[in-house]
């Protein structure tokens, strides 16, 4: 009995196949989903999604969205998603540094909030690379 | 634009006649010109040749426009198909219920900025007006949010006071989700609603565009409906996690749903616009070709008539000298 996972972003379908288990990070912490989980609908935070697939763990960076889990079907809708294999370490590190600099420079409340979000996104991407390696 | 220019030329062409003739009666107007008793000479070949040149130019322009529209269509079509998968989970979870009874209705009409794209903008506007009428009653109120120049021009004439927000020049920058989410945010901030009805043309195939209406309900209405046994009863079977209250999650969810559905709707409308423009330009190229054929026949006939007239004059002049 395997779970069917579907990760969708507005531009494309990032993942659509069967998995054994996933670990999702939501607003209220990380949740692990095994087959026959109770149906829930939850908001997904900017964070890491781990997928167990063929006895290997795969990581993906998600940029916030929603997930619906029910009947062994998981549908995750996010603003953007990147697989760890698609992220370039150098570029992710640079983005992180730029985001940190942006946060230091931010003045108004709105800029601070946006800079914080950018920082979290950049940090997630760097973390995704660090998890596997 | 092309047809208007031709019509203008037609009027100039047939002005010597007593009553104006339509553009397609080129041949018959020429014949009656020859028989007109007012002493007007037959049309010179120069005039016909000028018309042929302008019709040929128009044909070239419309053919080029068709190619451009075809290439733009190919680019957008891929993205549209990818974005279709996005709103289906929302429909599965929250249901697409156009028939829920609500007080404040906001109609989001999506149209194009440029013209020459067939009838798609007029159908969108017609449907928006029909929805407006359907939902009018003592308590209820309707407002418009307009995306695109063409719908704005048509709706501003009779429903000016009901337009809340109008956004134009969407297609200046390539469409992406961030931009659309900013627009959605803008709309949500400025407009109070119980239900949002998004009217757009769905792209079925290169020749068929279906006017469609997608409904997004506001969080309060969703809660109300899910508590009563209606179609949204399934929502309660899902436990809501993350965030403090169910209301907050529902609000986030409906905002996300709105921006996803809007993104898909804008892409589909852009596809339909390019497809409609392709077929409109194709039929006008074909019409220009047919008109060119008819003008060529007229030109040859005029040329032969003038040669015959000259010959007759020469021969009668010569015979007058002899005899």
């Amino acid at each position: 009995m395997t779970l069917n996972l579907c990760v969708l972003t507005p531009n494309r379908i990032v993942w659509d196949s069967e998995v054994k288990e996933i670990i999702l990070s939501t607003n209220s912490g990380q949740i692990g989903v095994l087959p026959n989980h109770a149906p829930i609908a939850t908001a997904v935070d900017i964070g890491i999604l781990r997928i167990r697939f063929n006895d290997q763990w795969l990581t993906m960076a998600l940029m916030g969205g929603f997930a619906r889990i029910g009947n062994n079907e998981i549908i995750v809708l996010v603003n953007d998603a990147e697989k760890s294999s698609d992220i370039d370490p150098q570029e992710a590190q640079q983005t992180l540094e730029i985001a940190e600099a942006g946060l230091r420079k931010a003045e108004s409340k709105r800029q601070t909030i946006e800079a914080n979000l950018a920082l979290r996104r950049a940090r997630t991407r760097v973390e995704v690379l660090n998890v596997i390696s | 634009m092309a047809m208007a220019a031709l019509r203008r030329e037609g009027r100039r062409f047939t002005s010597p006649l007593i009553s104006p003739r339509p553009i397609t009666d080129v041949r018959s107007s020429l014949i009656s010109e020859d028989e007109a008793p007012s002493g007007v000479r037959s049309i010179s070949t120069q005039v016909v040749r000028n018309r042929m040149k302008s019709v040929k130019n128009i044909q070239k322009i419309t053919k080029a426009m068709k190619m451009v529209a075809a290439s733009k269509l190919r680019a957008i079509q891929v993205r549209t198909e990818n974005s279709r998968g996005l709103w289906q989970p929302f429909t599965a979870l929250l249901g697409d219920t156009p028939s829920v009874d609500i007080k404040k209705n906001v109609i989001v009409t999506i149209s194009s900025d440029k013209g020459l794209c067939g009838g798609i903008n007029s159908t969108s506007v017609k449907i928006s007006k029909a929805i407006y009428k359907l939902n009018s009653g003592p308590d209820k109120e309707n407002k418009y949010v307009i995306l695109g120049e063409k719908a704005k021009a048509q709706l501003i004439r009779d429903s000016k006071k009901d337009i809340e927000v109008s956004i134009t020049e969407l297609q200046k920058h390539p469409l992406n989700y961030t931009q659309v989410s900013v627009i959605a945010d803008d709309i949500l901030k400025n407009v109070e609603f119980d239900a949002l009805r998004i009217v757009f043309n769905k792209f079925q195939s290169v020749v068929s565009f279906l006017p469609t209406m997608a409904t997004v309900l506001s969080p309060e209405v969703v809660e109300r409906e899910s508590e009563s046994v209606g179609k949204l009863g399934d929502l309660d079977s899902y436990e809501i996690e993350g965030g403090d209250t169910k209301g907050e999650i529902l609000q986030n969810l409906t905002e996300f749903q709105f921006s996803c559905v809007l993104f898909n709707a804008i892409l589909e409308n852009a596809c339909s616009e390019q497809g409609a423009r392709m077929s409109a330009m194709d039929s006008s190229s074909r019409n220009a070709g047919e008109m060119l054929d008819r003008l060529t026949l007229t030109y040859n006939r005029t040329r032969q008539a003038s040669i015959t007239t000259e010959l007759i004059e020469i021969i009668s002049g010569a015979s007058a000298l002899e005899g």
Side-chain angles (χ1 to χ4, degrees):
Chain A
M1 283 265 274
T2 44
L3 294 177
N4 215 353
L5 174 68
C6 218
V7 179
L8 301 170
T9 72
N11 294 331
R12 62 199 176 101
I13 303 180
V14 176
W15 183 280
D16 185 10
S17 68
E18 295 197 345
V19 299
K20 300 256 177 49
E21 178 188 345
I22 72 167
I23 300 186
L24 191 61
S25 62
T26 72
N27 281 346
S28 48
Q30 295 199 350
I31 62 174
V33 181
L34 289 165
N36 287 332
H37 198 284
I40 68 171
T42 162
V44 170
D45 212 7
I46 301 179
I48 306 184
L49 168 71
R50 266 175 277 197
I51 308 175
R52 182 153 73 95
F53 170 68
N54 281 349
D55 288 332
Q56 281 179 11
W57 284 98
L58 215 70
T59 358
M60 232 190 269
L62 299 178
M63 307 299 174
F66 282 95
R68 178 166 75 115
I69 304 172
N71 254 0
N72 282 334
E73 282 248 0
I74 310 178
I75 305 185
V76 183
L77 293 170
V78 284
N79 288 328
D80 199 6
E82 289 178 67
K83 292 199 198 139
S84 58
S85 47
D86 292 337
I87 304 182
D88 176 27
Q90 295 284 40
E91 190 243 339
Q93 192 65 27
Q94 275 174 357
T95 321
L96 181 61
E97 279 157 22
I98 296 176
E100 280 172 355
L103 181 57
R104 277 189 293 260
K105 258 195 307 179
E107 292 160 352
S108 72
K109 187 159 183 222
R110 179 188 168 141
Q111 281 180 356
T112 325
I113 297 180
E114 284 180 4
N116 267 328
L117 280 180
L119 181 64
R120 283 173 73 194
R121 284 196 289 263
R123 196 172 282 153
T124 313
R125 295 175 79 218
V126 172
E127 276 175 14
V128 163
L129 293 169
N130 288 339
V131 163
I132 292 200
S133 59
Chain B
M1 166 189 89
M3 288 306 147
L6 283 172
R7 244 180 280 133
R8 254 182 281 129
E9 285 233 331
R11 252 180 259 133
R12 220 186 308 140
F13 187 52
T14 57
S15 54
L17 289 180
I18 303 158
S19 60
R21 293 265 193 271
I23 190 78
T24 47
D25 277 358
V26 166
R27 201 194 309 158
S28 52
S29 68
L30 265 186
I31 294 177
S32 51
E33 273 255 12
D34 285 343
E35 301 170 355
S38 50
V40 173
R41 297 208 53 156
S42 48
I43 313 293
S44 75
T45 58
Q46 186 66 26
V47 172
V48 183
R49 216 167 351 151
N50 284 342
R51 286 213 49 212
M52 280 170 63
K53 198 164 64 152
S54 74
V55 170
K56 205 184 296 192
N57 283 339
I58 289 178
Q59 188 185 31
K60 281 194 209 152
I61 293 175
T62 51
K63 215 184 265 190
M65 286 182 77
K66 174 186 163 193
M67 303 276 161
V68 167
S71 74
K72 284 195 183 161
L73 177 69
R74 245 186 316 240
I76 296 195
Q77 198 170 350
V78 172
R79 302 183 62 199
T80 306
E81 277 166 19
N82 283 341
S83 80
R84 269 192 198 150
L86 194 65
W87 54 264
Q88 275 153 8
F90 284 113
T91 324
L93 180 64
L94 295 171
D96 190 24
T97 46
S99 54
V100 169
D101 195 26
I102 32 87
K103 302 264 175 342
K104 287 211 188 102
N105 205 12
V106 174
I107 306 175
V108 182
T109 317
I110 307 187
S111 67
S112 65
D113 282 334
K114 306 210 181 98
L116 289 187
C117 46
I120 55 172
N121 289 326
S122 315
T123 40
S124 291
V125 170
K126 234 191 316 182
I127 296 219
S128 311
K129 289 195 183 154
I131 297 177
Y132 185 98
K133 260 212 197 114
L134 265 180
N135 201 32
S136 51
D139 244 355
K140 313 191 178 167
E141 73 176 75
N142 293 308
K143 291 257 177 257
Y144 286 112
V145 170
I146 305 184
L147 272 66
E149 270 296 337
K150 292 283 151 187
K152 179 167 152 197
Q154 289 190 20
L155 282 174
I156 218 170
R157 252 184 276 139
D158 36 333
S159 322
K160 190 165 178 183
K161 55 182 176 48
D162 278 329
I163 301 181
E164 283 274 352
V165 184
S166 75
I167 305 175
T168 52
E169 300 200 352
L170 276 174
Q171 305 228 13
K172 237 187 188 166
H173 314 281
L175 288 170
N176 63 355
Y177 182 64
T178 349
Q179 191 191 30
V180 175
S181 57
V182 168
I183 294 178
D185 206 27
D186 224 5
I187 297 178
L188 285 169
K189 254 193 298 219
N190 292 337
V191 175
E192 246 190 62
F193 63 95
D194 277 339
L196 282 163
R197 308 214 188 262
I198 308 178
V199 175
F200 61 102
N201 291 83
K202 189 164 169 153
F203 182 75
Q204 300 282 85
S205 79
V206 181
V207 292
S208 105
F209 327 104
L210 286 185
T212 340
M213 176 184 84
T215 315
V216 173
L217 299 170
S218 81
E220 298 97 19
V221 179
V222 171
E223 259 199 83
R224 194 178 69 196
E225 284 296 310
S226 68
E227 265 144 41
S228 71
V229 183
K231 287 193 200 150
L232 293 176
D234 290 349
L235 184 60
D236 260 351
S237 68
Y238 284 87
E239 215 182 283
I240 312 273
E241 263 199 44
D244 305 313
T245 62
K246 184 170 169 190
E248 189 184 313
I249 292 274
L250 272 182
Q251 189 181 17
N252 273 338
L253 197 58
T254 45
E255 285 180 11
F256 195 39
Q257 179 190 15
F258 177 49
S259 70
C260 286
V261 175
L262 192 65
F263 183 60
N264 176 255
I266 292 184
L267 277 179
E268 299 251 4
N269 205 53
C271 259
S272 313
E273 176 200 338
Q274 301 296 348
R277 187 167 295 142
M278 223 172 83
S279 69
M281 290 296 110
D282 184 43
S283 60
S284 80
S285 302
R286 216 174 316 127
N287 281 342
E290 286 175 15
M291 195 173 287
L292 204 55
D293 285 338
R294 262 182 284 144
L295 282 177
T296 313
L297 286 177
T298 312
Y299 175 66
N300 285 330
R301 215 177 307 121
T302 322
R303 188 176 49 91
Q304 289 162 351
S306 74
I307 292 175
T308 314
T309 324
E310 274 195 57
L311 279 175
I312 291 183
E313 285 180 359
I314 293 174
I315 293 177
S316 54
S319 66
L321 279 179
E322 283 174 22

